[in-house]
Amino acid sequence: HLSLRRQRQMCIRDRTNTYFKEKDMTKKISDYQKMRFDELGIPAKRTRIDDETLNPAERVNRVTNLGAKVSDILISNHINNAGSGGGEVIYSLKSKNTLPNMIGNALQAAGLPIRSVYQRIGKNGNDFYFILRNTEPATSMIIEYGFANNEEDTNRLLYLSLIHISEPTRPY
C-alpha cells in the first residue's frame, strides 16, 4: 500500500506524482480500452499510439484525421491535478447523458467514487473543453480517473484492475 503522505514529491502542474505521469497512466488506460474494444468487436482508434505529447490543436487534428464522424464515440482519458478525490465524467453539450452515466456507474461499481457526471458550458455557450467543442463525434466525453495528489486515487490507479473501464460501452 502506498503512502503519499511520506513521499510528497508531487508535481501537480503536470498531473504527476511520485508514482506516475498522467500521460503514461492515461496511455495505459487507453491501450487497455483499445484491447478490450478489439476483443468485444467494437471498432476503436487511438490518437496517441506512442509516447508523445500533443498540444490541443494536434489532438483535434488527430481525431479529425482518423475520420471521426458524428455517429462515433470520443473518450478522452485524464487524471485531475489536485483535489479531494474521485472521478468525473464530463460530456459534450452535443451528447446525451446515457453513455456517460453508464460509464460513471460502472466506474463507481468498480470502486472509483464518482464526484459527478456533467456538462460544462463555456463563455460562448459552447462546450468549455476544446476536445469536446472542436471535434465531430456527438457522443464525446472526458473521463477523469481521480486526482494525482490523492492517495486513494493513486492506489486505485496503480493497483486496481482496469477491467471495468471499457465494459460500460458493450451494451451501448
Side-chain angles (χ1 to χ4, degrees), residues 7-8 27 29 54 61-62 69 73 86-88 90 114 134 137 144 153 167-168:
Q7 297 184 23
R8 283 289 179 196
K27 184 170 181 325
I29 292 168
L54 301 174
N61 287 338
R62 289 269 177 99
K69 302 179 295 288
I73 296 169
E88 299 177 327
I90 307 135
I114 295 297
N134 296 329
E144 298 279 3
D153 288 349
E167 294 303 318

Side-chain angles (χ1 to χ4, degrees), residues 3 7 17 26 39 52-53 55 77 84-85 96 106-107 114 135 142 152 165:
S3 176
Q7 297 184 23
N17 60 35
T26 56
E39 289 174 358
E52 61 183 321
T53 301
N55 68 39
N77 296 311
S84 59
K96 294 179 181 176
L107 290 170
I114 295 297
T135 55
I142 296 168
E152 291 177 7
I165 288 174

Side-chain angles (χ1 to χ4, degrees), residues 91-139:
Y91 63 99
S92 173
L93 300 175
K94 303 175 281 194
S95 299
K96 294 179 181 176
N97 65 2
T98 307
L99 183 59
N101 280 325
M102 289 171 68
I103 289 173
N105 290 337
L107 290 170
Q108 179 94 26
L112 175 63
I114 295 297
R115 298 161 49 95
S116 187
V117 176
Y118 65 97
Q119 296 173 310
R120 185 165 179 196
I121 301 171
K123 292 179 188 175
N124 297 329
N126 297 322
D127 277 298
F128 179 83
Y129 296 100
F130 76 88
I131 197 70
L132 303 179
R133 180 179 60 247
N134 296 329
T135 55
E136 194 67 28
T139 303

Side-chain angles (χ1 to χ4, degrees), residues 8-107:
R8 283 289 179 196
Q9 301 169 2
M10 301 289 181
C11 179
I12 302 304
R13 183 180 59 83
D14 294 330
R15 295 182 177 121
T16 297
N17 60 35
T18 304
Y19 305 100
F20 61 79
K21 293 180 180 177
E22 182 202 29
K23 72 180 187 91
D24 297 333
M25 184 59 74
T26 56
K27 184 170 181 325
K28 286 181 183 180
I29 292 168
S30 297
D31 289 346
Y32 179 82
Q33 288 173 327
K34 173 69 168 118
M35 179 194 74
R36 287 296 292 137
F37 290 142
D38 288 348
E39 289 174 358
L40 296 168
I42 300 169
K45 297 177 183 176
R46 291 169 291 177
T47 58
R48 191 167 57 106
I49 307 287
D50 298 315
D51 182 12
E52 61 183 321
T53 301
L54 301 174
N55 68 39
E58 290 170 326
R59 285 178 197 253
V60 169
N61 287 338
R62 289 269 177 99
V63 171
T64 302
N65 292 338
L66 287 171
K69 302 179 295 288
V70 171
S71 59
D72 290 333
I73 296 169
L74 173 75
I75 298 172
S76 185
N77 296 311
H78 295 272
I79 298 167
N80 269 318
N81 285 339
S84 59
E88 299 177 327
V89 181
I90 307 135
Y91 63 99
S92 173
L93 300 175
K94 303 175 281 194
S95 299
K96 294 179 181 176
N97 65 2
T98 307
L99 183 59
N101 280 325
M102 289 171 68
I103 289 173
N105 290 337
L107 290 170

Side-chain angles (χ1 to χ4, degrees), residues 110-112 152-163 165:
L112 175 63
E152 291 177 7
D153 288 349
T154 295
N155 284 331
R156 263 189 294 279
L157 286 163
L158 289 173
Y159 293 112
L160 282 183
S161 167
L162 298 175
I163 203 146
I165 288 174

